[in-house]
Amino acid sequence: MAPPELGDHPYPQGAIVCAEQLLHTATLAVPIEGPAPTVTGALTTWTFSPVADILIAVAAMGYGWMVMRAHRRSEHWPVIRIASWYAGLACLVLALDSALATYSHRLFTIHMVVHLLMIAVVPALMVWGQPIRLLHLTGGPRARAIIDAARLRSPWRWLIAARFTVPLYAAVLVLTHLTGFQQAMLTHAWVHTAELLLYLISGYLLLLPLVGGELTTEPAWPYGLRLLVLAICVGPDTLVGVTLMMSSTVLAPAYAASRAWGPGALTDQNTAGVIMWLGGDGLMVVLMIIVAGQWVRAGDQARSFGPWLDGIRQRALLGESTSGGDIDAEQAALDAYNTRLAQLHGRRPVPRRDDKDGNPA
């Protein structure tokens, strides 16, 4: 039997179109939707992210338990910190489970809103909640010892050092927006999950020593340095935003391919660039204003770089296990300094000898 002609195809035309759509969307992380979203639909559209939602619930209950424990001990824990923590968790739920999560797979512009929530808003609110300080206050001697020891070690200082967090922040912004990453994110669900984790972790590590009084390093960063780092981070936001806004090449065609409504792919991408530029820079400016206000309230003592520079000098001379004090006035620090010098020259340290009154001989 001769094969059927194109016009005499044995299958209904609707079935052919349906098969073509299925083949077209087989590589997409989300299928093509029907009608455009409405206000009512956007307000009532919710999803469930099992692992993330369980972790958010654990974080909410754990923080609440520590706050109640602090109150039972008559320890004051400011309401503003509690409100900040739970506002951060609420924003996280919005980013992961609300209509924002659903339509972030359809529109580059909505993706950019989720991106700003995950990399700036949620981390800042969590830093203001100060969970590390709360755990140090209520966790008992063992928890305090672990936190205090970790704060003095190089890995922790390296993780929140600007020489690591600023390049990480810039790399995450550039590589996830100006390469083929967005297209891969829309066609592979695990890439989308990795992207959200990258945003949250890079934003949290960046803002941890900058925007609040969280228990991080000793001494805390000077406010002038915090403002400088935040100002530098405006650069990557501007670069990515302006590039997307001015681009004439569609970087992620899967956004437009996943829907039959809304703006064209290039218009959507250009608008996302505007949101990134104005929204990202705007959030950084807001954080800088908040840090400047903290600086003013801290008074003259916080305006000096002296304690921070002394801490660097102390760690360089005596090692990372020492903290606090004036290394020129404390005899113990002087002994540690002499021991350090002896070790550097390959000599055996000579123990200090005291006279009968306890004074150095």
Side-chain angles (χ1 to χ4, degrees), residues 16 18 30 53 55 68 91-92 103 114 134-135 140 176 199 251 260-261 267 286 307 334-336 356:
I16 298 174
C18 182
V30 288
D53 290 342
L55 292 177
M68 289 189 294
C91 289
L92 196 55
Y103 292 114
V114 172
L134 181 58
L135 179 59
T176 60
Y199 290 158
L251 299 178
W261 45 264
T267 301
V286 170
L334 180 59
D335 292 340
K356 61 180 180 180

Side-chain angles (χ1 to χ4, degrees), residues 99-118:
L100 291 175
T102 299
Y103 292 114
S104 66
H105 294 279
R106 323 289 180 189
L107 292 165
F108 207 158
T109 50
I110 302 301
H111 161 83
M112 200 61 74
V113 173
V114 172
H115 154 77
L116 292 176
L117 283 174
M118 293 294 292

